[in-house]
Amino acid sequence: MGDTLAIALSNLGSPMVLFFALGAAAALARSDLALPEAVAKALALYLMLAIGFKGGVGVAAHGLDLGLVVTLAAGAVLSAFVPLVAFVLLSWMSSLPRVDRAAVAGHYGSISIVTLVAASESVQGLGLAYEGYIVAVAAVMETPAILVALWLASRGDGRRPAAEDHGGGLFREIALNGSVIVLIGAFVIGMITGEKGLADIAPFIVDPFKGILCLFLLDMGVIAGRGLRAGYRSMTPGVIGFGLLMPLVGAAIATPFAWLCGLSAGGAALLITLTASASYIAVPAAMRIALPEARPAIYLTLSLGITFPFNLTLGIPLYAAIGQLIAS
């Protein structure tokens, strides 16, 4: 338990989280700190390219076998299903506008890479092995949640004819969204080029990644801080309660999937952790481009300010215990 607490404190004091806090503090203090919109979008696309490419390389390195295919499929199903549950639950617990509920739901269907890293360290500290392709599963779990979030948001768009809502035009529009194209395309390119491709562009997508992530989260913090100044009343007890309850709901949904996939105790713990986590990298990047009217003050405060520390301090030990239970 002491090791897990140390990991939690380390992640909460990481440069990425602290740069987000700096941006939020600057905005709350009414600083003029801001990134140009074009720069912010470029950073978002870079992060999605890097995440997708490295996930594809992970699949190429492992090779295709039944265990990988089944777990990848389970991850995709979970990523598509959890946002629907999150959307319904948030509808019960809050009166947020539909676009905000959809954006939040997408975050909870997707995953947090930093939470995965912390969980990996925790399960290793417990002496539990896990399947290396879980990182590839994490990459697969990014896109379905984004697609579902955009679909949920568009269902409430009064400007869209109802007939079109049920046709193929809507899904084509979602699938061809620029951020989704970059994420999926980079994943496929990573699978095709493998480790050699990663080595060729490592100076672009590996070495600068954390620094660019810090800059991206600084900007996200600024946006969240400005949103809090204008819309802090939206963070009601119901919304905050959702941020604490949804990780447990996600873990409960993922547990039978982890058991059916036949994962090891460590692998099961990590799949449960992924499903219980909430994105604050890929999905905010996608929402910034695809749903600019959704408020980062809500979805980033929930994912990064409430669910992230909850998982680091209380969630990961619980998910590890569940993994050990279902794999025994």
Side-chain angles (χ1 to χ4, degrees):
M1 187 66 180
D3 290 341
T4 303
L5 179 59
I7 294 169
L9 294 175
S10 174
N11 278 292
L12 287 172
S14 69
M16 288 78 74
V17 174
L18 291 177
F19 270 104
F20 173 82
L22 172 62
L28 291 172
R30 301 184 183 276
S31 166
D32 62 354
L33 176 65
L35 290 182
E37 186 67 22
V39 173
K41 286 187 176 182
L43 293 178
L45 289 174
Y46 168 87
L47 293 172
M48 301 192 80
L49 183 152
I51 291 169
F53 190 91
K54 286 185 280 190
V57 171
V59 171
H62 177 82
L64 294 176
D65 62 19
L66 183 60
L68 170 60
V69 172
V70 170
T71 310
L72 287 174
V77 171
L78 286 168
S79 180
F81 179 67
V82 169
L84 301 174
V85 176
F87 185 84
V88 171
L89 184 61
L90 191 55
S91 298
W92 289 343
M93 299 181 69
S94 78
S95 57
L96 291 175
R98 186 182 189 95
V99 67
D100 287 321
R101 285 180 280 136
V104 169
H107 285 69
Y108 283 84
S110 187
I111 56 93
S112 162
I113 291 293
V114 176
T115 306
L116 174 63
V117 171
S120 301
E121 294 294 326
S122 182
V123 299
Q124 286 178 335
L126 293 170
L128 304 177
Y130 62 88
E131 291 76 5
Y133 55 73
I134 291 294
V135 175
V137 177
V140 168
M141 291 179 74
E142 298 280 14
T143 303
I146 296 171
L147 294 174
V148 172
L150 297 181
W151 178 77
L152 286 169
S154 67
R155 293 282 294 177
D157 187 353
R159 294 169 298 178
R160 185 182 300 279
E164 187 179 346
D165 281 349
H166 299 283
L170 171 61
F171 293 98
R172 183 179 182 277
E173 177 183 331
I174 292 172
L176 294 181
N177 178 272
S179 57
V180 174
I181 288 291
V182 169
L183 189 64
I184 296 176
F187 185 85
V188 173
I189 293 170
M191 286 185 62
I192 294 171
T193 59
E195 293 286 349
K196 183 182 182 304
L198 181 61
D200 288 342
I201 63 171
F204 175 66
I205 70 167
V206 176
D207 298 335
F209 182 83
K210 289 184 179 180
I212 291 178
L213 174 57
C214 287
L215 191 57
F216 175 75
L217 286 176
L218 174 69
D219 185 52
M220 287 289 98
V222 170
I223 294 171
R226 289 175 178 168
L228 280 171
R229 287 206 325 255
Y232 65 92
R233 292 183 180 85
S234 297
M235 295 303 298
T236 62
V239 173
I240 294 171
F242 169 86
L244 297 172
L245 177 61
M246 191 59 211
L248 300 176
V249 173
I253 294 171
T255 297
F257 282 83
W259 178 75
L260 289 171
C261 289
L263 293 171
S264 64
L270 294 186
L271 181 62
I272 293 169
T273 299
L274 286 171
T275 311
S277 68
S279 174
Y280 61 86
I281 301 175
V283 179
M287 295 302 105
R288 180 76 179 270
I289 296 170
L291 290 178
E293 65 272 31
R295 291 173 287 178
I298 294 174
Y299 59 69
L300 274 176
T301 299
L302 279 171
S303 63
L304 187 55
I306 297 176
T307 297
F308 180 59
F310 171 82
N311 277 331
L312 288 179
T313 55
L314 299 175
I316 290 173
L318 173 62
Y319 311 146
I322 295 172
Q324 291 174 287
L325 179 65
I326 64 176
S328 60

